[in-house]
Amino acid sequence: MEIFYIDEDKHYVAIDCIIFGFDAGELKLLLLKRKFEPAKGEWSVMGGFLKREESLDEGARRILLQLTGLTDIYMEQLQSFGDVNRDPGERTISIAFWALIKVNDNDIKLAKTHGAQWVSIEKIPQLIFDHNNMVQKGLKTLRNKIVTKPIGFELLPEKFTLPQLQSLYEAINQEQMDKRNFRKRILETGLLDKMEEKEKQSSKKGAYYYMFNKEKYRLFAEMGFHFQMKAKKDSLIKGNCQV
Amino acid sequence: MEIFYIDEDKHYVAIDCIIFGFDAGELKLLLLKRKFEPAKGEWSVMGGFLKREESLDEGARRILLQLTGLTDIYMEQLQSFGDVNRDPGERTISIAFWALIKVNDNDIKLAKTHGAQWVSIEKIPQLIFDHNNMVQKGLKTLRNKIVTKPIGFELLPEKFTLPQLQSLYEAINQEQMDKRNFRKRILETGLLDKMEEKEKQSSKKGAYYYMFNKEKYRLFAEMGFHFQMKAKKDSLIKGNCQV
DNA sequence: ACAAAAGTGTTGTGCGTACACCCATGC
DNA sequence: GCATGGGTGTACGCACAACACTTTTGT
């Protein structure tokens, strides 16, 4: 090989992952302190360089695995970022991905060894390079996506309650919804199977657990879906998310 | 420079442009025959290699300029394609863009010198590499985008008639719409200014020209917009687009 | 005079939002 | 027994789809 394009420039290609999680009623981002120069010690999203023998998706999965130890992560390509001076070290093109993980899945043991932390999206610090842009874009994409694909479940444990699910939607959209309307509409999709068991930590009465129905889920993921609700009258959540 | 990442792999990065146009009631794609190896002589979208000193957007604009001679083109990043063997010549990552052109703008003189041709999206040939995938994805993105941003105008000449505009929407979505509903809804956006002049080629009666209102356009482009209509009862356009 | 395309209003209904009270339990 | 969060049904309004006839003018 190596015969066709010898006169063309070659570039470093990085992969950066915007990793979302949901915990304690808040949408969070997995951030870490960069461990090499340039910008060592500053906050960033997880990233790495693309290797010669891996595809973009494979690269992203490798990086997610390194950080979380998880192999089965919902992940999509976000966008490429390629301003000439975006990385002060050297000209590097970054292909950003976004991913959704279940925070409690394994407590992200590896994340700790990497010095990673979950940070509420309402308190994102200054990040290196153009990572704040990436996060912004990722958030926007997540908000759009959740309307047409029932991906909320990727952020929740296998069993969850309706109040939890609603608070997830509220956290993502930064607005409150009407309880009755939310329950009615989400249930009539047929996407949820009610369990007999109740969750009793967060209330005396207890809320029924639900699981999502995998066949319906797959169906909607392919065929399309539409779940969008207006915010409750005059109630945007205070302190709008500032990335 | 050149001090930080010396152990990492470098890659060829290509930029490929899915260029849409609208003419004679059909949505078209600007395709050309590849002029160098590998795959010389086969159909492809317009592309080129990213240079060291240009950003992704700059690269895409350079390539669009080369092919069309136009500098002011509506353009967005689509997605990156990076399978290891997608280019049989050498491992190359492609960052795809999509663009909208007014076909009659200057008759795309340069396009001809490049051996480019407008091809109806219903008759896309076999393209090299993963270019058919790119086109597929571009089409999907265009269809989604036109719901939330009034970009249809980027495909039409400065002055256009309502029947033309409707046929554009129909060509993009491959479905027919109700004339009365279409006119009513598009007019009540305030996006269109009626001219006094009529277009008289395509009918005896003649249809009034309209221009789009640039302020409203900018407003919608930022603030958001929503224009979607169900297809006319039982009338998908025959011969669904096969990419 | 007729063919061919442009232009024009009204009605019904389904979806989505607003809204308030009872229930179960732990303390 | 009371405080806390979970669970439930209805009514109204609006946005959207359905639908058919008249107008203009070139030939």
Side-chain angles (χ1 to χ4, degrees), chain A residues 122 174-176 235-241:
Chain A
E122 299 180 45
Q174 293 284 298
E175 55 187 32
Q176 286 175 273
S235 71
L236 239 74
I237 287 179
K238 52 280 160 193
N240 227 343
C241 142

Side-chain angles (χ1 to χ4, degrees), chain A residues 5 9 52 77 80 87, chain B residues 5 9 11 52 77 80 87:
Chain A
Y5 308 142
D9 295 333
R52 186 171 295 126
Q77 196 186 127
S80 298
D87 182 329
Chain B
Y5 308 142
D9 295 333
H11 307 265
R52 186 170 295 125
Q77 195 185 127
S80 299
D87 182 329

Side-chain angles (χ1 to χ4, degrees), chain A residues 79-96:
Chain A
Q79 205 196 308
S80 298
F81 294 79
D83 281 357
V84 176
N85 297 310
R86 56 172 293 283
D87 182 329
E90 265 182 82
R91 204 271 155 98
T92 303
I93 288 132
S94 168
I95 301 179

